[in-house]
Amino acid sequence: MIKRHVQGIPCKILFLDDIFIGLDIANRLPLLDILKHDFPDYQIFITTYDKPWFEYAKGFIENKKEWKTMEFYAQQTKEGYEIPCIFDDQDFLKKAEYHLQHSDYKAAAVYTRSAFEKIIRTYCEKKKKKLVFKSRLKDYSSEDFWKEVKPDLHPKTITDIEQYRNLVLNAFSHYNTEKHEIRTELISAIQGVKALNIELKSMQS
């Protein structure tokens, strides 16, 4: 129907508001390919309240330059009304660096840890790594994926990641009055996860 009633302007717009909500993930991703191949001359907007779907789709399109992701939240002012709070195309590591620059080391560590977990899970998925079956995704730990990734890595990468997993990513993520949050350690942890990401991506291309 849209094809038959083409807008007579150079920029044609297709706005899809949570239309995938009734589909499972396996059937949502092919629709993204349909949009790409059947509507190449449309500027497409896809909105959703479904955070898991947003993260999954973001991982699917993150290397495709024609797509851009943004997050919108409501932020309440001192006067009591809401204003939009927009995060523009930020991945976990960029968020970690943002909080690092603002000296919020705990938040930076949490985002770095999330980046690490996402990177190794994505790699296992793309490489079709064999993991022990567990009925619920939440029953998997990062260690389950890390054990499958380590054999493919350079020994130095493994050493760096394991050092900062214990020293920073795990320790900073919990309440511990006996643990100093040291900026230099956190910077090294972020750099280590970046290096891991680069190394794994080089093996996926």
Side-chain angles (χ1 to χ4, degrees), residues 96 99-100 103-114 163-190:
H99 287 286
L100 174 68
S103 300
D104 188 351
Y105 300 147
K106 186 173 292 293
V110 170
Y111 277 118
T112 306
R113 179 175 173 172
S114 295
Q163 176 184 355
Y164 290 110
R165 276 185 78 192
N166 296 323
L167 193 63
V168 178
L169 303 187
N170 293 341
F172 282 26
S173 299
H174 302 286
Y175 176 70
N176 186 350
T177 57
E178 297 179 353
K179 172 64 180 176
H180 293 287
E181 296 175 351
I182 302 175
R183 179 184 177 87
T184 53
E185 292 178 350
L186 186 51
I187 292 173
S188 296
I190 292 173

Side-chain angles (χ1 to χ4, degrees), residues 25-41:
I25 294 295
N27 289 313
R28 293 182 188 187
L29 292 180
L31 283 174
L32 295 179
D33 284 328
I34 291 174
L35 292 175
K36 176 182 178 180
H37 293 106
D38 290 5
F39 302 92
D41 52 347

Side-chain angles (χ1 to χ4, degrees), residues 55-143:
E55 291 295 341
Y56 201 90
K58 184 178 179 180
F60 181 75
I61 65 176
E62 63 183 353
N63 295 320
K64 297 177 174 60
K65 294 182 179 180
E66 65 269 24
W67 286 95
K68 180 181 180 66
T69 59
M70 302 178 73
E71 295 179 64
F72 293 80
Y73 296 93
Q75 182 176 356
Q76 193 167 38
T77 66
K78 293 180 180 179
E79 292 77 17
Y81 57 86
E82 292 184 342
I83 59 174
C85 181
I86 302 172
F87 294 98
D88 188 359
D89 209 17
Q90 286 190 325
D91 61 21
F92 287 135
L93 286 174
K94 288 180 182 177
K95 289 180 180 179
E97 290 175 329
Y98 170 84
H99 287 286
L100 174 68
Q101 292 170 1
H102 289 78
S103 300
D104 188 351
Y105 300 147
K106 186 173 292 293
V110 170
Y111 277 118
T112 306
R113 179 175 173 172
S114 295
F116 165 72
E117 292 172 349
K118 179 181 178 181
I119 288 165
I120 59 176
R121 280 180 55 177
T122 300
Y123 179 78
C124 286
E125 180 182 359
K126 291 186 176 180
K127 287 292 187 177
K128 295 181 170 56
K129 293 288 187 178
K130 296 180 180 179
L131 283 82
V132 175
F133 174 75
K134 297 181 181 180
S135 59
R136 297 178 300 180
L137 182 60
K138 67 178 183 179
D139 290 335
Y140 287 97
S141 69
S142 59
E143 188 62 26

